[in-house]
Amino acid sequence: MEGHVVPGDNEGPPVFTLLILLWNQALVEIIEKSKEALGVVRAVVTAVLQSRPQVILKSGTEWEVMLDMDDHTFARHFRIRRSRFEQLLRLLQEGGLHSKHSHGLPTLPVPKKALMFLWYMANQNSYREISDKFNVSQSAAHTAILQVLTIMSGIGPHFVSWPRGCDKRMSSAAFQRTSGLDGVIGAIDGCHIRIQRPPIRGGDYMNRKSYYSVLLQGIVNDEGRFIDIFVGPPGRVHDARMLRGSTFYANWQEKMEDYRLLGDSAYIGQAFPFIITPKRDNGALTDADHQQKFYISRGRVIVEQAFGRMKCKWRRLRDLQNTRMDIEVMIIMAACFLHNFALETVDGCDEHPTGWPRHEDGNE
């Protein structure tokens, strides 16, 4: 019929559909505005929190008081005497240790950095404990100690050096008196330093005593002073293999000349003609062989005592935890340097009433 409109023909969308579309559009706008508002609120809150002064409670005394300790008390806490501390300060300053500002923080004086470093080496405290004792932030303590470690690694020849003609003759005479053996200027051995399992090739660091370690090869003179060190091989490496891979072995003929070292049975072999070792006990040793073994043992005990004294005095070496491998090597080297530097400080140790080394230090 003309003029009649059929429902649905040429008719727009229903009213309900329009309402839904409008509602969805409104929700989208509300959500977007809410996100913007939330971002503004978060920015304001963050700015307020960052502007608030951060209060860190420290229980440590003023570090200057430590410099006023008497010589005996200072040596008990920092393992070296006051006069040696002053010499160490000069060496560190010559090596590049200075006081300087960092990110607007107060200056850390050089003596304070050196004291923190010595405390770190002499104890097993965490950076949190050290920062508390010296009234600095943990990051400042970490930075200062790492800085000193790096400088110590660079000035190693000041502390460990190979003896020359006169020194060799004096050492030879001293070993002859203690062991009865002629032409000996030192004793050699390896030492395990306990570490955490490294993330790369960790199994290589598991030693025969079933813990992870880094090896230190040390050669000491008649006084127990290190005259050569080699640090870093994994704990599973044999002492003989470590020696063959060391910098010392590359030019041993030039260094040893006609002198020799004392070593244990690990160094038996034609590759080490410069080391006097005991014969292996196969049940057929003569009285002369047993006597020679006794002489060697009496002479080479000096290197075992050196390792034990070092771990007693510089206790960071007893267990290196949460430390990168390169830093572990620097710590071990620094302990050897400090051992030589403080050798005259021979105060007794409560943990070693009968001497050194401790069995649990694992020097073997």
Side-chain angles (χ1 to χ4, degrees):
M1 184 180 300
E2 186 177 354
H4 179 70
V5 179
V6 179
D9 290 348
N10 299 321
E11 188 177 15
V15 175
F16 181 74
T17 303
L18 287 174
L19 289 175
I20 293 297
L21 292 174
L22 292 173
W23 175 251
N24 288 340
Q25 186 176 355
L27 281 178
V28 170
E29 293 178 358
I30 292 173
I31 291 173
E32 292 298 327
K33 291 181 179 179
S34 298
K35 288 182 179 179
E36 294 178 4
L38 184 59
V40 172
V41 171
R42 285 177 175 172
V44 172
V45 171
T46 300
V48 171
L49 291 177
Q50 290 179 345
S51 65
R52 294 175 59 188
Q54 187 176 10
V55 179
I56 302 177
L57 297 178
K58 300 291 183 182
S59 61
T61 58
E62 292 295 328
W63 70 275
E64 291 90 344
V65 176
M66 301 175 185
L67 296 176
D68 295 329
M69 295 176 178
D70 62 85
D71 196 53
H72 176 71
T73 303
F74 188 89
R76 282 187 58 205
H77 286 291
F78 296 101
R79 304 296 197 264
I80 62 175
R81 301 195 186 281
R82 288 287 305 275
S83 58
R84 300 299 274 171
F85 177 70
E86 297 299 330
Q87 295 177 31
L88 181 62
L89 279 182
R90 288 195 292 271
L91 288 173
L92 291 174
Q93 288 174 316
E94 291 172 2
L97 185 64
H98 302 292
S99 302
K100 60 181 180 180
H101 292 277
S102 177
H103 304 292
L105 298 175
T107 300
L108 284 183
V110 170
K112 189 172 186 177
K113 292 181 178 181
L115 288 174
M116 283 195 293
F117 164 71
L118 290 175
W119 189 272
Y120 173 82
M121 294 296 297
N123 299 279
Q124 293 182 293
N125 293 154
S126 65
Y127 282 113
R128 178 182 57 80
E129 293 168 319
I130 294 175
S131 70
D132 180 75
K133 184 170 189 65
F134 288 88
N135 196 26
V136 297
S137 67
Q138 292 187 45
S139 62
H142 179 271
T143 300
I145 291 170
L146 185 58
Q147 185 182 9
V148 179
L149 277 172
T150 303
I151 293 174
M152 288 287 289
S153 299
I155 60 176
H158 285 281
F159 307 102
V160 176
S161 59
W162 191 255
R164 299 185 180 274
C166 181
D167 293 329
K168 288 180 178 179
R169 290 191 293 271
M170 292 178 61
S171 289
S172 177
F175 272 107
Q176 202 284 328
R177 289 192 297 268
T178 58
S179 68
L181 300 172
D182 294 325
V184 174
I185 61 171
I188 183 172
D189 202 1
C191 176
H192 290 279
I193 308 297
R194 187 185 296 267
I195 62 171
Q196 282 186 325
R197 178 188 171 98
I200 300 175
R201 301 183 64 88
D204 291 346
Y205 292 83
M206 175 67 75
N207 61 37
R208 58 186 175 85
K209 290 184 173 291
S210 300
Y211 66 86
Y212 298 102
S213 65
V214 165
L215 282 170
L216 159 66
Q217 175 183 280
I219 303 176
V220 303
N221 64 8
D222 61 288
E223 298 176 338
R225 181 184 300 275
F226 290 107
I227 56 177
D228 188 87
I229 60 172
F230 180 62
V231 185
R236 70 183 299 177
V237 173
H238 190 271
D239 284 353
R241 180 183 172 189
M242 174 168 58
L243 175 54
R244 286 194 297 269
S246 67
T247 52
F248 167 80
Y249 189 73
N251 57 351
W252 69 264
Q253 291 175 320
E254 177 184 349
K255 289 187 173 182
M256 294 302 301
E257 299 177 322
D258 294 328
Y259 293 99
R260 292 179 293 177
L261 303 175
L262 298 179
D264 59 18
S265 58
Y267 302 104
I268 294 177
Q270 297 180 352
F272 312 123
F274 54 93
I275 301 180
I276 303 176
T277 59
K279 291 183 178 180
R280 289 194 175 93
D281 192 352
N282 55 6
L285 295 181
T286 65
D287 291 341
D289 292 334
H290 283 291
Q291 189 70 19
Q292 176 83 344
K293 184 177 182 180
F294 171 75
Y295 288 151
I296 294 172
S297 177
R298 189 166 65 178
R300 64 170 297 276
V301 71
I302 189 70
V303 67
E304 296 179 350
Q305 291 175 339
F307 289 143
R309 287 172 179 163
M310 181 173 63
K311 286 187 176 182
C312 174
K313 185 170 289 187
W314 308 108
R315 301 185 182 185
R316 179 64 52 179
L317 290 190
R318 290 185 176 175
D319 193 5
L320 298 180
Q321 298 291 334
N322 303 317
T323 306
R324 299 197 322 256
M325 184 61 64
D326 59 331
I327 298 179
E328 289 172 350
V329 171
M330 287 196 295
I331 291 172
I332 298 169
M333 291 174 60
C336 295
F337 300 156
L338 291 172
H339 168 83
N340 282 4
F341 191 70
L343 200 59
E344 81 283 358
T345 309
V346 291
D347 297 337
C349 175
D350 295 336
E351 296 185 20
H352 299 75
T354 59
W356 296 275
R358 279 195 336 173
H359 174 71
E360 53 267 38
D361 281 340
N363 298 316
E364 301 87 357

